């Protein structure tokens, strides 16, 4: 596993799929650049995301700034709760994540201490399992109990305390307007709900989407490209009537079958199993059709990209993992050398976010369902008689009025009955901390019939959120393999990217360095540009086998070798099969295959196959 | 002008091309969201940029983080010099840009003070003209002289002082690693020069490109979408041998003719004039072919997008505008209601940036030209005899050695001659601040012949840098027009976006609400999706005229009206011409026009024209 990862990462770094950022200055932990092939892969993945989600579902795409004023993230809860627990080396001030230290200690004991008792082993395993739930106090007392010290210096550690993971800054020159680099793109959509709802003709459901950078000032980044301080998110906020979470297109995904890992199965110690999506929804495993629809669409998105479906599962959040307001939550987890990694979160967040911003901003972020005909409803009406209450309670009048108005239907109707039968009633006013006596002339309570023309409500939001960098890293691992060179003396690296993802669709090689072949290569290059196909031309004198190996390592699906002035050899990366195609046709054949109109097997039988000793190595 | 701008901005804001960010919290100056149509326009502009520059020129695209450690921006000069001069209201602490206040004062006097003398008027005009060159002291003394006070309170103002425009933050939890949100994307490319040069097979010239967010913490943002605190840049760094700045494809742009505004013409008070690009380069107005090539490519890019070529000029920087290291610099300026706005900067920055990072990091960012055959060169060799120098100068030995080694060829050869003739020489050692006597036995100086296999040098960089938001805003103004409604009772807004830019390519309207037409509309919608065309379907019962008006206001080039079950009406936005096309064909006709394979005029004569009283209004 470690060796496999090392082989992938070496290839990625050597071929500039990624580069540790600011390398000449010894870099910054958790920051990476995408080099040319990585940048092309990312741009292909994002273009496909746009096609698969935004265009096919007619979503409203928006683009909001990264710099965000404090009030927005105060409302969303990030200012108060977006923290990790940290401990400090008491002498040097170096910071560590408290849970990491405890986890590493337990793992080390389990793996390397032969004298460990069975009882102790069980305890360490238990700690690792429940670690994520520990409070600052619990973490601190375990660290003390085990005598854990700073890993670099063995100095004593401070007690754990929360560190906010947002990059803080200041907006404008005055220094009095704190701001943060957004930790997710979603808030930019929520605060625009009103305008977007209007743009959609005041109709639900609709979805808004955003692709953009997000930032988390990790305490100590680990796991290479998986846990970074700046990353690209692609998020969808699908707004829906909480009373109707059906989806008109659910039938299109209902028959998909894939690995799911429901909450129950996790609790009872079972493994993920293949479930038909339609059954998961009808059986109540997945909360509703819309959530189910997105799970299906995410499955299709990831597998089209080339994620191995045997190493992809949808895991339901346990009750204690889920925010209190969430109705249901599933993670698309992809297995790679680091284990099962959360790459897409798909959550039904109910009305939480819109309510939070409604409360903080005072702007109602609500939707309305207009009734075809007005509906008659009975409404409770409580009218305190302020004059009488004033006479009776003087300075306390306001509290009594508020308490009366705040009564629920049951309480109010009971009061009404008592007042009618007895003329007065004892009434508890919490804000006064005592009971008062309400007389019949102090309040009128009634039920009135009203005609309502619409129902006003806060929509629920279903949020699929994609960590693009994580998906791409897992894709690298799932696409990588090695095969022996023709001589058998070395292992060659290959990325089996589908054409959709491949950074370059095709390479053009003159077989030998001569002017005629180079001119043909240039003609072909021109026709490839005209067809909108990204290609690379290699006119170095390197052996053709070496040039194939270079291009396989970049995951280029097709290679054109110019070996005559009328026709060329077209070679497919994984099968290494070769066909002969005329110079005039070759760009359109490449386009058919890379656009997905035909597969390689479709074109294979149409053209003469080619075999040449010179072709490989 | 003001009224025109207001009409454009109202339309843009009402149709959500953009939205002031965090509007429900009363917004933040200088931050804007792109709403759905604006986001689509931006994504079309960026896709075309990638096609026109990255793909057609085989550039190496990279994607670096926004968070940047201090050392990088220290090397680039941003930490010390990326500032604006600011004054503070001495009582409230409110901040203002010093040059803005002075400019506003002079303008106000010129426009609104009828009693102003001719002499004073000339002075104010002069101040406005040279304002950008004022030092903090000069600005301060003018503000004092004119008695300018804080505009909001009339309180006295502080003296001007520099405010750094970068958003500052802190990387990691310790608080000891300052970082900034990048003010440009270019630095990410420079620090990767070595890897990118290697990726390109150690060959020059090559270009790297990057699209991404950049940040400037403006003191007081003005001019709406033109001066913002976060924006998208698209930058190219073209690395070239300083001894050969020719460009193999220059002939392809040499015959372009457009408005240029050379330095000389500005100084002598002339206007911009039409110059053939080839002449500008051969006549030495533009410094070199590569710079000229990019000027031509930028011209093509902007005019393809729909920028009016009569309101686009290339203005050369005056000597005092240009950085001391720059060889030449031209701005693509677009005229809009705010005046001539710099939208693309095209600068030959010589070797400045690579040298700065070489010096700071210690990593040589250089290129090498391998000679076909080794070249014999004479090299100066200075060998101080440390033993003798040590005896003579004791503790000062090191300084003397360094000074000897640092001698240039001329100085060294003169010393050699003097030593040979007189046996000793007076030699100034700057670091000691005095002359010392060097004797013949203390140093040997000679010229030796060496074979050199390569020439090592720091490449020059030519940098076209695009402010995407500014280009898009100018495009909105250049594309906007109004025309009377059919009844003549109101003015309707239209954006004449080319299909390339249009946020949606086509709309689909059933003429009247009935199930048959709606089914046809859905069939057409499916075929549009399959063809990859973004569309909007409108099945509201609104009059067809109103629906056309709505879609014209979004700049949608084509509209399909379903008015039978076999064929439909296809209408072009600007001409309002209509043709009848069969349901089967309509998607492919739309695709031909929106992909630019055919113009509307090409398809117009192929199909029967349609005229119907019901069609408009």
């Amino acid at each position: 596993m470690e060796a496999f990862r090392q082989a992938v990462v070496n290839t990625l770094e050597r071929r500039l799929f990624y580069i540790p950022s600011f390398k000449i200055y010894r870099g910054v932990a958790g920051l990476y650049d995408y080099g040319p092939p990585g940048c092309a892969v990312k741009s292909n993945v994002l273009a496909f995301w746009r096609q698969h989600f935004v265009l096919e579902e007619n979503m409203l795409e928006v683009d909001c700034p990264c710099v965000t004023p404090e009030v927005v993230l105060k409302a969303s809860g990030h200012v108060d709760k977006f923290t990790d627990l940290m401990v400090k080396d008491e002498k040097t001030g170096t910071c560590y994540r408290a849970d990491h230290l405890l986890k590493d200690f337990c793992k080390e004991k389990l793996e390397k201490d032969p004298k460990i008792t069975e009882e102790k082993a069980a305890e360490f395993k238990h700690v690792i399992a429940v670690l994520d739930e520990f409070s600052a106090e619990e973490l601190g007392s375990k660290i003390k109990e085990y005598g854990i010290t700073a890993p670099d210096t063995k100095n004593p550690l401070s007690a754990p305390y929360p560190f906010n993971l947002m990059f803080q800054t200041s907006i404008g020159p005055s220094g009095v307007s704190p701001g943060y680099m957004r930790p997710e793109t979603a808030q930019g959509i929520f605060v625009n709900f009103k305008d977007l709802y209007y743009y959609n003709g005041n109709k639900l459901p609709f979805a808004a989407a955003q692709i953009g950078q997000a930032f988390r000032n990790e305490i100590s980044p680990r796991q290479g490209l998986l846990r970074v301080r700046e990353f690209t998110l692609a998020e969808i906020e699908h707004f829906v009537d909480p009373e109707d979470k059906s989806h008109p297109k659910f039938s299109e995904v209902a028959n998909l079958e894939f690995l799911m890992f429901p909450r129950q199965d996790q609790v009872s110690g079972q493994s993920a199993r293949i479930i038909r999506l339609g059954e998961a929804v009808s059986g109540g495993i997945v909360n509703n059709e819309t959530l189910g629809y997105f799970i299906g669409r995410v499955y299709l998105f990831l597998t089209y990209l080339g994620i191995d479906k045997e190493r992809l599962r949808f895991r339901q959040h346990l009750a204690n993992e889920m925010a209190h307001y969430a109705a249901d939550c599933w993670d698309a987890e992809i297995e790679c050398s680091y284990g099962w990694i959360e790459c897409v979160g798909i959550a039904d967040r109910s009305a939480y976010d819109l309510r939070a911003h409604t409360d903080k901003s005072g702007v109602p972020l609500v939707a309305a369902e207009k009734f075809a005909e007005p509906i008659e409803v009975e409404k409770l009406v409580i009218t305190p008689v302020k004059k009488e209450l004033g006479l009776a309670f003087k300075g306390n009048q306001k509290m009594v009025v508020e308490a009366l108005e705040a009564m629920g239907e049951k309480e109010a109707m009971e009061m009404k009955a008592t007042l009618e039968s007895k003329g007065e009633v004892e009434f508890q006013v919490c804000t006064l901390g005592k009971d008062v006596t309400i007389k019949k002339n102090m309040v009128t309570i009634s039920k009135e019939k009203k005609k309502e023309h619409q129902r006003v409500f806060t929509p629920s939001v279903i949020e699929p959120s994609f960590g693009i960098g994580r998906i791409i890293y897992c894709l690298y691992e799932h696409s990588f393999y090695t095969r022996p060179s023709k001589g058998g003396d070395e292992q060659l690296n290959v990325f089996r990217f589908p054409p959709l993802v491949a950074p370059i669709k095709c390479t053009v090689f003159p077989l030998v360095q001569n002017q005629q072949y180079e001119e043909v290569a240039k003609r072909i290059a021109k026709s490839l540009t005209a067809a909108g196909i990204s290609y690379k031309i290699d006119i170095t004198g390197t052996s053709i086998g070496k040039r194939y190996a270079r291009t396989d390592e970049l995951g280029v699906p097709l290679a054109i070798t110019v070996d005559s002035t009328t026709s060329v050899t077209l070679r497919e990366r994984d099968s290494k099969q070769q066909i002969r195609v005329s110079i005039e046709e070759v760009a359109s054949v490449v386009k058919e295959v890379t656009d997905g109109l035909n597969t390689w097997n479709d074109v294979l039988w149409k053209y003469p196959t080619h075999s040449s000793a010179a072709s490989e190595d």
Side-chain angles (χ1 to χ4, degrees), chain A residues 449-501:
Chain A
K449 288 194 175 168
K450 277 197 171 178
K451 285 207 170 176
E452 295 216 322
H453 297 263
Q454 60 178 9
R455 178 174 68 93
V456 175
F457 59 92
T458 304
S460 280
V461 60
I462 288 165
E463 175 189 88
S465 170
F466 298 70
I468 297 297
R470 289 184 168 194
I471 293 170
I472 290 174
Y473 178 75
C474 292
L475 189 57
Y476 289 151
E477 281 205 8
H478 287 203
S479 305
F480 184 82
Y481 66 99
T482 58
R483 58 186 175 197
S485 64
K486 207 175 182 189
D489 49 342
E490 57 175 330
Q491 287 292 310
L492 303 175
N493 305 315
V494 190
F495 283 108
R496 65 164 86 76
F497 298 132
L500 180 71
V501 168

Side-chain angles (χ1 to χ4, degrees), chain A residues 192-429:
Chain A
N192 280 324
F193 172 79
K194 223 180 129 185
D195 280 341
L196 294 171
Y197 178 59
Y198 172 77
Y199 188 82
N200 200 52
N202 290 334
K203 282 200 179 60
L204 284 186
F206 75 90
Q210 181 166 198
I211 297 171
Q213 294 301 89
F215 304 81
R216 298 192 187 188
N217 194 9
E218 297 285 349
I219 295 169
S220 48
R222 297 178 166 198
Q223 297 190 311
L225 295 167
L226 292 178
R227 188 161 291 279
V228 292
R229 285 176 165 154
E230 180 176 339
F231 45 95
T232 301
L233 282 182
E235 297 192 295
I236 295 165
E237 309 298 328
H238 181 90
F239 298 101
V240 64
D241 186 337
E243 292 179 11
D244 178 12
K245 293 183 180 174
S246 66
H247 197 289
K249 283 159 75 182
F250 181 70
S251 61
E252 292 178 18
V253 296
N255 285 321
L256 292 174
E257 295 187 325
F258 46 78
L259 276 178
M260 298 188 85
F261 202 6
R263 191 178 296 148
Q264 252 86 359
D265 295 8
Q266 295 170 54
V267 172
S268 62
Q270 293 171 267
S271 306
R273 59 193 161 97
I274 289 177
I275 304 182
R276 202 176 62 84
L277 187 54
E279 271 161 34
V281 171
S282 63
I285 297 174
V286 170
N287 184 281
N288 59 71
E289 262 191 10
T290 298
L291 194 63
Y293 179 71
F294 280 110
I295 290 174
R297 293 289 293 169
V298 169
Y299 171 81
L300 291 174
F301 174 74
L302 294 173
T303 50
Y304 283 151
L305 287 182
I307 292 295
D308 179 356
K309 64 180 195 297
E310 322 241 305
R311 303 177 72 192
L312 166 63
R313 72 182 184 194
F314 288 82
R315 188 180 72 78
Q316 190 172 29
H317 276 204
L318 296 173
N320 60 9
E321 276 179 275
M322 219 159 54
H324 63 92
Y325 48 79
D328 195 5
C329 189
W330 292 77
D331 286 343
E333 294 184 333
I334 305 176
E335 194 188 31
C336 73
S337 64
Y338 292 103
W340 287 94
I341 301 299
E342 175 201 343
C343 291
V344 187
I346 309 156
D348 182 336
R349 301 175 55 83
S350 75
Y352 176 77
D353 307 279
L354 293 182
R355 284 226 179 97
H357 287 296
T358 297
D359 290 349
K360 189 88 180 172
S361 69
V363 177
L365 303 178
V366 293
E369 182 200 6
K370 293 228 161 33
F371 300 136
E373 300 209 338
I375 290 175
E376 198 158 84
V377 289
E378 269 202 338
K379 280 218 144 179
L380 176 71
V381 179
I382 300 170
T383 318
V385 182
K386 293 195 182 162
K387 195 183 140 199
E388 299 294 334
L389 291 164
L391 288 170
F393 303 113
K394 310 238 156 55
N396 291 336
Q397 182 224 35
K398 193 167 159 265
M399 265 88 107
V400 179
V401 167
E402 283 171 0
L404 286 169
E405 285 175 343
M407 283 189 292
E409 180 157 339
K410 191 164 162 263
E411 194 186 1
M413 295 318 287
E414 282 171 7
M415 178 182 279
K416 181 182 169 74
T418 315
L419 288 175
E420 273 164 15
S421 60
K422 302 191 179 163
E424 63 175 54
V425 64
E426 288 301 286
F427 176 61
Q428 194 192 5
V429 181

